[in-house]
Amino acid sequence: MMELFYSSFFDAAISILVFMTLGFIISIIRKRNDVADILWGWGFILVALVTLLVDSHLYERNVLVVSLVLLWGLRLSIHIYLRNRHKAEDHRYEQMKAKWKGNFYLKSYLNVFLLQGFLLLLISIPVIFVNTFSGSGLTVLDVIGVAVWLFGFYFETTGDYQLSKFMKNPHNKGHVMQSGLWKYTRHPNYFGEVTQWWGVFLLTLSLPYGFLTIIGPLIITTLILKVSGVPLLEKKYAGNPEFEEYKKRTSVFIPFPVRK
């Protein structure tokens, strides 16, 4: 059984290696590493399509999962492209460059593109698993999984839209977004992204040993909460009086009513 999964994972890994290498070449040409952020969503789409078309049959659950990944990945990559164009490189990558001493291209390739590709593969394990082992028919767990995914998709897309609209208003320059979904969580878009991957995980639970794919949502949850998501963004605003007041009354991640 696991041999089939290993074969699918290997196909996905080779595809991502080539994809991220091409992305690295583009980053050299454009002289900015935040190209990797745009590639993030496309990478998941590539994994989903490769493992569906190469190693799988077209069952309802497979097509459903790939469709969800396609919708999520396209929206995210387009959003990031539109957000970053005509702007300087993302400050996170500028900080990385400042810390690196020598071997810039090697460190960029390993620490940005290959690392993101590796993490992407691990997060995609539920998708690879479904495309490898899914049979025909859907269950109640699949319906619940889609409902959870849609809830997360609403939070991510709405949060991104509200923030984008807020940032475009020149009167809001220097201020902190605190309305809409941002009133109930300081990171509605991150909450939405994590929730979607837990929804995808639920779609594996009707399959034998599907619970083992929990590594995927656990990794994205850890990355967002402890590594590259919430901590870096909150560090950027640390010391801002308006943000410090906002922190006191607003949940960091899971939406809750405003604290008084």
Side-chain angles (χ1 to χ4, degrees), residues 77-192:
S77 292
I78 293 171
H79 168 73
I80 292 174
Y81 168 74
L82 294 176
R83 183 191 67 189
N84 289 355
R85 65 175 180 172
H86 309 313
K87 292 183 179 179
E89 187 174 28
D90 188 290
H91 71 282
R92 294 170 299 163
Y93 294 101
E94 290 179 343
Q95 291 174 356
M96 286 183 189
K97 289 179 181 178
K99 293 179 181 178
W100 293 341
K101 297 179 180 179
N103 297 319
F104 169 79
Y105 291 116
L106 178 61
K107 290 179 180 178
S108 174
Y109 184 56
L110 296 177
N111 297 341
V112 176
F113 291 90
L114 289 193
L115 177 59
Q116 287 202 26
F118 176 67
L119 293 172
L120 188 160
L121 279 170
L122 295 182
I123 296 166
S124 296
I125 282 177
V127 178
I128 299 171
F129 192 89
V130 167
N131 279 341
T132 305
F133 299 119
S134 184
S136 61
L138 298 173
T139 68
V140 174
L141 277 173
D142 297 314
V143 176
I144 295 173
V146 171
V148 170
W149 188 92
L150 288 172
F151 181 68
F153 187 72
Y154 167 76
F155 260 81
E156 185 176 32
T157 55
T158 304
D160 280 340
Y161 170 76
Q162 290 174 343
L163 181 61
S164 177
K165 189 176 180 181
F166 177 85
M167 297 294 287
K168 288 178 181 178
N169 188 336
H171 296 291
N172 294 327
K173 187 175 182 180
H175 292 286
V176 177
M177 176 69 175
Q178 303 180 49
S179 58
L181 295 179
W182 300 80
K183 181 178 180 180
Y184 306 104
T185 163
R186 304 202 294 272
H187 303 279
N189 46 358
Y190 286 154
F191 169 77

Side-chain angles (χ1 to χ4, degrees), residues 188-202:
N189 46 358
Y190 286 154
F191 169 77
E193 181 165 351
V194 167
T195 301
Q196 285 171 88
W197 284 107
W198 283 102
V200 172
F201 165 69
L202 290 174

Side-chain angles (χ1 to χ4, degrees), residues 9-53:
F9 190 86
F10 179 77
D11 291 338
I14 294 299
S15 300
I16 289 299
L17 176 61
V18 173
F19 180 69
M20 284 300 183
T21 300
L22 291 174
F24 169 66
I25 294 171
I26 294 172
S27 76
I28 294 175
I29 296 171
R30 299 201 60 192
K31 298 180 180 179
R32 51 190 301 163
N33 278 338
D34 58 0
V35 168
D37 290 346
I38 299 173
L39 299 181
W40 181 252
W42 284 108
F44 286 97
I45 292 173
L46 179 63
V47 169
L49 290 177
V50 165
T51 55
L52 175 69
L53 299 176

Side-chain angles (χ1 to χ4, degrees), residues 123 194-195 197-198 216-227 253:
I123 296 166
V194 167
T195 301
W197 284 107
W198 283 102
L218 283 178
I219 288 175
I220 188 63
T221 303
T222 302
L223 285 174
I224 293 293
L225 285 177
K226 302 296 183 181
V227 184
F253 190 67

